[in-house]
Amino acid sequence: MKLHVTNKKKTTFLIAGIVLLLVIIIVVVSLMRKGKAASTDTVAEEAYQTTPLEKQDVTKEIGLSGTLDSAHSESVSSTLEGVKVKEVCVQVGDTVNEGDVLFRFDSSEIEQKLEAAKKALANEQAANAAEIASNERNYADAQTTQNVESGRSDQSVNQAADAYNAAVSSKATAESAYQSAVSDRKSQEKAVKKAKEAAANAKKDEKSAKKSLEEAQKSGDEQAIASAQAAYDAAASQKKQADKSLESAQATLASLKAAEAERQSQVTSAGDVVNSASSSLQQAQNDRDDSNRSNAKSVADSKDTLDNARRSSSADSQSGQDVKSYEEQLEQCTVKAASSGVITTVSAKVGDTYNNGVLATIQDEKNYVVTAMVDQYDISDITKDMKALIKTDTTGEEEMNGTVTFVSPVPASMAASSDNSDSSSGSSGNGYEIRITVDNPSERLRIGMTAKVTLIQEEVKNVFAVPDDCISEDEDGNSAIQILENGEPRSITVTTGLKTDYYTEISSDELAEGMNVIIPDVTEMDDMSGMDDSVSYSVY
């Protein structure tokens, strides 16, 4: 029984051992396969060095080193010469404001000259005032004479005009009377003509009646004679009456002719009066015009004389110019600051005789510019109003903003001297000078410090950018990058933008943050298997 049981246990243990061995073999094989797969992936990943794709600000910039100068420097001087320095009110390091007194010169000699010039000017002004008063009287007299004579001349012209108008009226009356006389004469001439005709007819009738009477007398017929005699007597009476009428008409005509001649003589006389009155009127008008012209000239001449006297009085005479000059010199004996800042040089002392030159230098210690020299390779990329970032050793990592305010068009060796030629940079040579105004200067800045300047040529913000080496050209000639996706490289076509010395802006609808961008290495890797192009990659 025991033997039987023992054999059975051995069989069970043997089967269990075989099963366990198989399990171990399966596990080992599985682990070996996983290890191999992991080893393969590791090799694939290690074959590519990548950098994550991120959005960032891309800036194209130029780095320079320059010297801090004062934004404004004033050389204090005076136009006076040969004056002694009486007082020096400042020393190097003093802070002054615009209008502060810096120096005083000895003004005693100038004050004496000014007093003498003022006296000379007072005498000159008194003489001018007397001359002006005299000329004002002459001008007033000329105006009075003009007004009086103008009134008289106008009165004479008016009287002559009245006489002329009366003469014209009289002539018109005489001409009217003459025309009436002419009309009466002509009417009477017609009456005389009719009277002559009547007298001729009456004479004819008388002659005929006389003939009839003679014939009746020859016939001896008493009755015929009596009738013919009566007819003859009537005709003779009629003739006598006609002759009287003709005589009367002729007398009247003669009288009218005499009256007409008288009227014509009156018209001629009236015409002579009109001509005389017209001449008198013309003469009065001419006399008035001559008087007005003469008086107007007298008034204008006296006015010109008065104006000249006034101008001469108000003009800067030599005495007046002397007073003004000495007053200006007296004012210049007190030398004041034209701007605020710190005194950096003082070149005069009490007792010195000043003959032009710089007395002191004031520099603005609150506003600064950086003066830098740029070589010919970069100067064409720098323009006025370009923005800048400025650092100094004394301000550490603090960045100050700046703006390019001057770019020299010629090298320093060719540039002419200017008001800023005494800047502390002392730069020279073939470089081009530029100046950057510091927009927000630190209180720690001092004139003459060295400044590091970064000029911002171009800038884009929040864009995808990769190292320049990550961008290649695909088969179609387009720009592309390689990304590692599931252990395999994949090409993405991109559009490039701003390019700097290290980064290039890229854009594409396929780009997403976090992508692993492959960074190529120019070193070939012949020992990498499974790759058509033996190119290694390095970590950026």
Side-chain angles (χ1 to χ4, degrees), residues 40-53:
T40 301
D41 290 342
T42 299
V43 171
E45 291 177 359
E46 290 180 353
Y48 300 97
Q49 296 294 336
T50 63
T51 182
L53 181 63

Side-chain angles (χ1 to χ4, degrees), residues 313-436:
S313 177
S314 61
D316 286 339
S317 63
Q318 185 59 52
S319 297
Q321 292 176 9
D322 289 344
V323 169
K324 184 177 180 180
S325 175
Y326 292 136
E327 286 177 342
E328 291 175 350
Q329 292 179 32
L330 189 61
E331 184 178 352
Q332 291 170 9
C333 283
T334 300
V335 181
K336 298 180 180 181
S339 61
S340 300
V342 63
I343 301 293
T344 56
T345 65
V346 175
S347 55
K349 62 182 183 294
V350 175
D352 286 350
T353 299
Y354 177 73
N355 289 296
N356 291 326
V358 177
L359 290 165
T361 303
I362 301 175
Q363 291 186 301
D364 185 356
E365 61 176 350
K366 295 182 179 179
N367 298 288
Y368 294 89
V369 294
V370 177
T371 302
M373 302 302 295
V374 181
D375 60 34
Q376 59 184 326
Y377 302 105
D378 290 326
I379 191 62
S380 297
D381 296 324
I382 299 175
T383 59
K384 192 176 179 181
D385 297 328
M386 184 178 284
K387 298 302 178 183
L389 298 175
I390 302 165
K391 288 183 179 181
T392 65
D393 290 340
T394 189
T395 54
E397 293 302 314
E398 177 187 354
E399 284 188 335
M400 293 167 284
N401 297 322
T403 305
V404 176
T405 51
F406 172 75
V407 179
S408 176
V410 296
S413 58
M414 297 173 59
S417 299
S418 65
D419 291 339
N420 294 324
S421 62
D422 59 345
S423 64
S424 60
S425 65
S427 300
S428 61
N430 291 323
Y432 292 78
E433 180 180 312
I434 68 168
R435 297 191 199 107
I436 303 100

Side-chain angles (χ1 to χ4, degrees), residues 500-540:
T500 70
D501 292 340
Y502 304 102
Y503 282 93
T504 298
E505 174 193 359
I506 60 172
S507 60
S508 171
D509 293 339
E510 298 183 57
L511 299 179
E513 285 197 74
M515 284 181 169
N516 291 318
V517 180
I518 297 175
I519 303 175
D521 191 341
V522 297
T523 305
E524 295 186 352
M525 297 180 61
D526 294 334
D527 57 345
M528 292 183 62
S529 60
M531 297 184 63
D532 295 333
D533 298 326
S534 298
V535 181
S536 65
Y537 296 82
S538 61
V539 178
Y540 177 75

